[in-house]
């Protein structure tokens, strides 16, 4: 019998925003896997830290930060080999993923490599989008409205075109792209409705009108362009 690979969403940051199913799987895991970015501490592991057994084996995939895909692919290839060996030996593996595994989640790279050979179960998590909207007090969409999700690294002209034609917009992966995104939003005359959220649900969370946001943003930040509650009265 081979083991089961669980792709477990651990939510956006606050450990008590994890699902009961995720917590139960992590607590009982003998093998836990997660990626780290360029040697930095894993955010997903930090969220789940109190639940991980001191006896658990940890498979760490150190993913380098580079524009080229090959180094990251090599890190996931190597991680998949270690995970496959554990599954082959009959052990279940719990792979931690910040937020939800199938929403810009790192788990997708392992799913792509292993789901054709092993049983894989995905445990959904609270996404950063819904967490940021909740913390900012900004409802996202209702009735037949559309929500546009844009990654900050998109080129300026594409961001501008997509925001201009959208209703509610969420911009993820803000980080070092903050100045570019700010300029696009200002050009479109939308700064007044934009909210900046950094490290939502964590003790050092920041929620500010974009106009008052700091000059630099960490990777775990987001900008919401929503109408607020009034249109739904
Ligand atoms: C690779 S994506 C991971 C998304 C995650 N799987 C999810 O379901 O939300 C990373 C981006 O999610 C956003 N993010 C994740 N956690 C966040 C948080 N606590 N506060 C603000 N943004 C967050 C940031 O925009 C960050 O750049």
């Amino acid at each position: 019998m081979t083991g089961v690979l669980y792709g477990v969403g651990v939510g956006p940051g606050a450990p008590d925003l994890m699902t009961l199913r995720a917590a139960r799987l992590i607590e009982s895991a003998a093998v836990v896997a997660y990626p780290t970015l360029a040697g930095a501490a894993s955010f997903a592991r930090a969220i789940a830290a109190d639940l991980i057994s001191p006896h658990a084996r940890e498979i760490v995939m150190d993913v380098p930060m580079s524009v080229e895909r090959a180094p990251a692919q090599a890190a996931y290839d190597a991680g998949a080999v270690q995970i496959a060996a554990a599954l082959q030996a009959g052990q279940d593996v719990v792979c931690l993923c910040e937020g939800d595994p199938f929403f810009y989640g790192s788990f997708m790279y392992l799913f792509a490599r292993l789901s054709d050979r092993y049983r894989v179960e995905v445990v959904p998590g609270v996404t950063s989008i819904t967490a940021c909207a909740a913390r900012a007090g900004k409802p996202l969409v209702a009735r037949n409205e559309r929500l546009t999700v844009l990654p900050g690294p998109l080129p300026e002209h594409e961001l501008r075109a997509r925001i201009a034609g959208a209703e509610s917009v969420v911009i993820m992966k803000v980080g070092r792209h903050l100045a570019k995104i700010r300029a696009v939003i200002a050009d479109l005359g939308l700064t007044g409705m934009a909210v900046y959220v950094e490290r939502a649900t964590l003790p050092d969370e920041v929620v500010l009108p974009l106009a008052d946001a700091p000059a630099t943003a960490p990777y775990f930040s987001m900008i919401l362009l929503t109408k607020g509650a009034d249109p739904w009265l």
Side-chain angles (χ1 to χ4, degrees):
M1 282 286 283
T2 55
V4 179
L5 173 60
Y6 293 94
V8 172
V10 296
D16 60 349
L17 284 174
M18 199 182 303
T19 64
L20 294 175
R21 187 177 301 184
R24 275 198 291 264
L25 283 166
I26 296 165
E27 271 171 344
S28 58
V31 185
V32 174
Y34 49 85
T36 58
L37 261 191
S42 157
F43 187 24
R45 194 202 182 282
I47 296 169
D50 288 350
L51 298 168
I52 299 174
S53 159
H55 308 295
R57 176 182 161 215
E58 301 194 20
I59 297 175
V60 184
M61 288 154 277
D62 190 26
V63 180
M65 272 219 242
S66 68
V67 180
E68 299 81 47
R69 293 291 302 137
Q73 283 168 342
Y76 285 113
D77 285 345
V81 168
Q82 289 189 68
I83 292 170
L87 296 172
Q88 207 59 47
Q91 288 185 301
D92 293 343
V93 177
V94 170
C95 185
L96 308 175
C97 186
E98 192 264 329
D100 181 275
F102 275 0
F103 182 72
Y104 291 108
S106 51
F107 180 70
M108 280 186 278
Y109 305 114
L110 297 168
F111 184 82
R113 284 165 172 77
L114 296 166
S115 62
D116 58 342
R117 285 178 287 148
Y118 299 100
R119 214 179 112 206
V120 179
E121 251 183 61
V122 177
V123 178
V126 174
T127 71
S128 54
I129 287 193
T130 44
C132 287
R135 297 301 300 150
K138 291 285 182 187
L140 289 171
V141 266
R143 302 196 188 99
N144 293 330
E145 289 175 347
R146 284 148 292 174
L147 174 65
T148 301
V149 180
L150 299 173
L154 288 180
E156 189 172 334
H157 67 273
E158 188 173 349
L159 278 176
R160 188 187 313 269
R162 290 189 184 270
I163 294 172
E167 292 175 347
S168 284
V169 179
V170 166
I171 306 170
M172 307 190 44
K173 304 182 185 182
V174 173
R176 60 197 169 84
H177 303 280
L178 177 61
K180 171 186 69 182
I181 300 165
R182 252 188 165 142
V184 168
I185 291 174
D187 274 3
L188 293 168
L190 299 174
T191 303
M193 66 188 285
V195 178
Y196 169 83
V197 185
E198 176 181 314
R199 297 176 63 79
T201 78
L202 291 164
D204 56 350
E205 165 189 282
V206 175
V207 180
L208 287 170
L210 181 60
D212 301 335
T216 57
Y219 177 66
F220 288 103
S221 59
M222 191 176 291
I223 292 171
L224 307 175
L225 284 160
T226 61
K227 299 173 191 165
D230 288 355
W232 301 312
L233 286 175

